[in-house]
Amino acid sequence: ACLAGSYKGATGPIACTLCDAGKFSGDASGATSVNTCQTCGQDQTSDPGASVCGCDLGYTGADGGPCSQCGEGTYKGTIGSVECTTCGDNSFSNAGSTASSDCSCAAGNTFVVDACVACEPGTFKASNGAGACTLCDAGKYSGATGATSNVCIACPFFSSTSSTGSSVVTDCSCIAGYIGTVMTASSTCSPCPAGYLQTTPGSTSCDPC
């Protein structure tokens, strides 16, 4: 007799025919018609000759269903009842993902060599993906690691940084025409008095004109 997942509609020494992919037959009593092969249920599929359907790629559950979509941050690349696999550290995938390649670095992380690592202080990344972290603008700084939004803080009044990507307030220095030492967010830069000037940012004294 033909095994489950197959049928034979004619007499003679011909082989049993397998049910098509995406169909199944649990009839193990020697099916004689293609009508024995039934279409798999929602979110299920099968290889040819299946006796039961399994959950499709991106879905998990018992053979025969019901099947649930893999959640965000997971994936499943095989048919059947295996559980969804969690993406690596600091990575993300959309619900229903079907391969490890669907996992990308989560917001606040960037791809370095072969792993997703947190954005360093002085940078941020607001979206998922392998893109680079964005540097804080000149005149701003941030001490946050793994920032997922622009949390860069402006330097105190009349001070700025010499470059982008600053991570501490002490990277700020008083601009030309002002003097002082920036040590905290409340530090102040004072203007040079009349008759004096200062053309070098970060100076602590003014020079006579």
Side-chain angles (χ1 to χ4, degrees), residues 105-167:
C105 295
N109 296 270
T110 189
F111 193 76
V112 177
V113 184
D114 59 356
C116 295
V117 298
C119 294
E120 296 180 350
T123 69
F124 64 94
K125 180 166 165 277
S127 60
N128 301 316
C133 302
T134 301
L135 298 173
C136 290
D137 292 337
K140 296 185 175 183
Y141 66 95
S142 169
T145 299
T148 58
S149 63
N150 188 345
V151 295
C152 304
I153 303 167
C155 289
F157 289 128
F158 307 115
S159 69
S160 186
T161 61
S162 60
S163 62
T164 58
S166 293
S167 59

Side-chain angles (χ1 to χ4, degrees), residues 31-110:
T32 59
S33 171
V34 66
N35 295 328
T36 305
C37 302
Q38 303 175 56
T39 301
C40 293
Q42 183 176 359
D43 305 322
Q44 301 174 46
T45 191
S46 69
D47 292 322
S51 61
V52 64
C53 295
C55 294
D56 205 349
L57 310 185
Y59 292 81
T60 187
D63 288 340
C67 300
S68 301
Q69 189 178 53
C70 293
E72 293 182 348
T74 68
Y75 65 93
K76 178 172 167 277
T78 58
I79 297 170
S81 59
V82 297
E83 295 183 355
C84 304
T85 301
T86 301
C87 292
D89 292 341
N90 305 321
S91 60
F92 172 89
S93 69
N94 293 320
S97 292
T98 61
S100 60
S101 57
D102 293 332
C103 300
S104 60
C105 295
N109 296 270
T110 189

Side-chain angles (χ1 to χ4, degrees), residues 1-22:
C2 292
L3 300 175
S6 65
Y7 64 93
K8 179 169 173 271
T11 58
I14 58 174
C16 299
T17 301
L18 299 178
C19 292
D20 292 337

